[in-house]
Amino acid sequence: TAQRLVPGLAVDGSIVDYAVALTRATREPASVGLPGVKPYISYGASPRGSIYLIHASRALAVVRGRRYVLPIDVMDLSRDVLRHRIVPSFTALAEEVTSDMILDRLISAVSVPRVAQDSLLARAEAAERGSLARRPGVDPIAPASGGSVPVDRFDQVDEVSA
């Protein structure tokens, strides 16, 4: 199934660092230059928030048809993953400041990494070659054009579910 693709998706270290920085900013807004946000947060997201943000970003990348995660995947999911992990303070509740409002400020303050898409694609292809080498009965060195038609991983999903 497509779920088997998700754990093996390539994630650049700078993207993991970005997810960690977003999560850390919920606990320490001063670390991203927003000390004024701290009074609105009783508790920020735990480190598990960044772990699940990366897991969700991998799944979104698969849905979007990629074998690698981009910073936009993390950004697009950060509100959904971190929203319930922030406990607004009484001050926030009294001033009608929501978790989404807090996250909007934090997300805009954390710098987005610049990752070369070509580099990510190359890493994803290398990881794919490595996983082919570990599959029994598959020769990763054999040319794909030796009369056989290469099978797309998504085609295999259809065959398994049929």
Side-chain angles (χ1 to χ4, degrees):
T1 65
Q3 290 177 339
R4 291 184 202 154
L5 298 175
V6 172
L9 249 56
V11 182
D12 189 75
S14 65
I15 295 174
V16 173
D17 292 343
Y18 177 57
V20 169
L22 284 171
T23 304
R24 180 174 177 232
T26 67
R27 294 186 310 275
E28 302 171 20
S31 69
V32 292
L34 296 174
V37 174
K38 181 63 177 166
Y40 297 100
I41 304 171
S42 287
Y43 296 98
S46 73
R48 287 182 301 172
S50 57
I51 293 168
Y52 288 106
L53 186 52
I54 291 298
H55 285 310
S57 298
R58 283 181 169 140
L60 183 59
V62 168
V63 168
R64 290 178 171 171
R66 282 186 269 106
R67 296 177 306 204
Y68 50 90
V69 176
L70 293 175
I72 192 69
D73 299 324
V74 175
M75 188 182 298
D76 287 348
L77 290 169
S78 58
R79 285 173 191 78
D80 296 325
V81 172
L82 298 175
R83 177 183 298 122
H84 73 282
R85 296 175 184 275
I86 294 176
V87 178
S89 67
F90 178 75
T91 303
L93 297 174
E95 295 180 21
E96 298 182 358
V97 174
T98 65
S99 294
D100 281 340
M101 295 166 85
I102 294 168
L103 283 169
D104 287 342
R105 293 283 308 275
L106 297 174
I107 291 167
S108 65
V110 177
S111 60
V112 180
R114 296 195 59 169
V115 180
Q117 195 164 349
D118 292 343
S119 171
L120 291 173
L121 184 58
R123 288 182 195 175
E125 289 172 353
E128 175 67 18
R129 283 192 302 274
S131 68
L132 286 175
R134 290 186 294 273
R135 289 187 201 163
V138 175
D139 182 6
I141 313 256
S145 61
S148 63
V149 178
V151 177
D152 186 22
R153 292 181 92 178
F154 288 105
D155 291 338
Q156 292 172 353
V157 170
D158 292 337
E159 290 172 11
V160 171
S161 63

